[in-house]
Amino acid sequence: MKQNNSVTEFILLGLTQDPKRQKMVFVIFFIFYVGTLMSNLLIIMTIKFSRTLGSPMYFFLFYLSLVDTCFSTLIAPRLIVDALSAKKSISYNECLTQVFALHLFGCMEIFVLVLMAMDRYVAICKPLNYATIMSRQVCIFLIVLAWIGSFIHSMAQIILALRLPFSGSNLIDHYCYDMQPLLKLACMDIYVMNLLVAINSGALCAISFIILMISYIVILHSLRNHSAKGRKKALSTCTSHVIVVVLSFGPCIFIYTRPPTTFPMGKMVEVLYTIGTPFLNPLIYTLRNAEVKNAMRKLWHVRITSESKR
């Protein structure tokens, strides 16, 4: 990568500089990361090997858990290690690589949530055509399209990042590498650049959120024609989706639509987005979804039984 600056590495200041608090950060986020990893991998394995979870909704849930696992692994391990490290440095090229991966998986999560909402809309509003519209081939095509869109979005971020000149301080008052912290260090007028970041990331989050909310309003309106049992099941599924959407898009919109200045609660909001959401997503989908819980019980019961017979 061509360097448009004299800075060869960046140093993170992390969440806190207090040694006691750093130990707390290590313990708390280690627990969060292990929980995120185990719960998302459990969902991935359950959907992969269960015969009862073959519908498009679980096809997309598989990719949501996969993306959450990758996204969390990109952020949490470095945060955990840096909490006990004396020097939290990273090279310029490694920094840009993390920015690319962060936006690749973050954008992919947005697209998967949109696809899950689309699946629920078709299932509830057009049930007779559901099997045709949301066929396996269509679902695979949509996921491939989502990966391509995420890649294009991430490349746009890298192109913007490569145009930022750095020749002064290399201290980043943050716990991960992203465009907003980098903009604060750039030796240039960042108004236009921040506007481009807001258009590329902030507008993507905001527009996707609006589309999702409109789709769920349409779904709720159409539920009036369903039976009481059908309404209850649809509401349970849609409620889980809405909770995940709000947890994902709320912090995301806050991060990418504001100017690159420090807010007192800015880091905490980003912690909710980068660490909290991947941890909470599997809990929301499993605790509120009887089909997933039953599939997990059957899967692990079969495995335990087979192991005992050996």
Side-chain angles (χ1 to χ4, degrees), residues 7-289:
V7 173
T8 58
E9 69 173 13
F10 295 101
I11 299 174
L12 286 173
L13 297 180
L15 287 174
T16 178
Q17 297 297 300
D18 188 328
K20 291 183 179 180
R21 291 182 178 179
Q22 285 180 339
K23 292 178 181 178
M24 290 176 60
V25 167
F26 174 84
V27 173
I28 292 171
F29 289 102
F30 178 79
I31 294 172
F32 266 85
Y33 178 60
V34 171
T36 301
L37 211 58
M38 291 180 64
S39 56
N40 278 293
L41 289 176
L42 179 60
I43 290 179
I44 290 171
M45 291 178 63
T46 301
I47 296 174
K48 181 69 174 178
F49 296 106
S50 176
R51 296 179 180 179
T52 60
L53 303 179
S55 68
M57 181 176 74
Y58 298 112
F59 176 82
F60 294 131
L61 179 57
F62 173 90
Y63 280 96
L64 180 65
S65 294
L66 178 64
V67 169
D68 277 340
T69 301
C70 296
F71 189 76
S72 180
T73 300
L74 180 69
I75 303 296
R78 175 170 286 277
L79 173 60
I80 293 166
V81 172
D82 284 350
L84 300 181
S85 301
K87 187 179 180 181
K88 311 169 181 64
S89 62
I90 188 174
S91 70
Y92 176 85
N93 287 348
E94 288 175 327
C95 175
L96 292 190
T97 301
Q98 188 178 73
V99 170
F100 175 84
L102 179 72
H103 283 270
L104 177 69
F105 295 122
C107 185
M108 186 62 187
E109 179 167 3
I110 290 174
F111 288 150
V112 171
L113 289 173
V114 171
L115 293 177
M116 292 177 78
M118 174 185 168
D119 171 70
R120 290 301 85 200
Y121 169 79
V122 176
I124 295 170
C125 299
K126 300 184 181 296
L128 298 178
N129 299 321
Y130 179 70
T132 304
I133 297 174
M134 300 303 296
S135 65
R136 190 73 174 181
Q137 292 78 9
V138 171
C139 291
I140 293 172
F141 173 76
L142 291 173
I143 282 294
V144 171
L145 206 61
W147 279 116
I148 294 172
S150 300
F151 179 81
I152 294 171
H153 165 77
S154 300
M155 285 304 300
Q157 292 291 315
I158 293 300
I159 291 170
L160 292 176
L162 286 170
R163 296 179 64 84
L164 295 176
F166 303 102
S167 58
S169 173
N170 65 343
L171 298 177
I172 297 179
D173 186 16
H174 213 277
Y175 63 90
C176 69
Y177 301 93
D178 198 3
M179 285 299 296
Q180 293 288 356
L182 290 176
L183 284 172
K184 297 177 188 178
L185 300 182
C187 301
M188 62 178 291
D189 184 355
I190 61 171
Y191 175 79
V192 175
M193 195 65 70
N194 185 65
L195 188 62
L196 292 173
V197 171
I199 292 171
N200 188 32
S201 298
L204 174 66
C205 295
I207 293 171
S208 299
F209 180 74
I210 293 170
I211 292 172
L212 286 168
M213 288 298 100
I214 291 173
S215 70
Y216 284 118
I217 290 171
V218 174
I219 289 172
L220 291 174
H221 183 264
S222 68
L223 286 176
R224 297 181 305 168
N225 302 323
H226 288 65
S227 64
K229 184 178 180 180
R231 279 200 301 269
K232 184 178 179 180
K233 184 178 180 181
L235 282 172
S236 177
T237 303
C238 290
T239 301
S240 299
H241 290 188
V242 170
I243 292 171
V244 170
V245 166
V246 171
L247 288 175
S248 299
F249 283 84
C252 188
I253 292 171
F254 172 81
I255 293 167
Y256 294 111
T257 58
R258 64 181 175 86
T261 55
T262 303
F263 287 89
M265 294 299 294
K267 287 184 183 179
M268 291 301 101
V269 172
E270 296 193 39
V271 165
L272 175 61
Y273 170 61
T274 57
I275 306 294
T277 301
F279 176 77
L280 293 173
N281 281 356
L283 297 179
I284 293 169
Y285 279 109
T286 53
L287 292 177
R288 296 184 58 87
N289 194 307

Side-chain angles (χ1 to χ4, degrees), residues 284-303:
I284 293 169
Y285 279 109
T286 53
L287 292 177
R288 296 184 58 87
N289 194 307
E291 287 181 315
V292 174
K293 289 189 287 187
N294 291 335
M296 285 181 178
R297 292 192 194 101
K298 290 179 182 178
L299 178 64
W300 294 108
H301 175 72
V302 170
R303 286 183 172 272

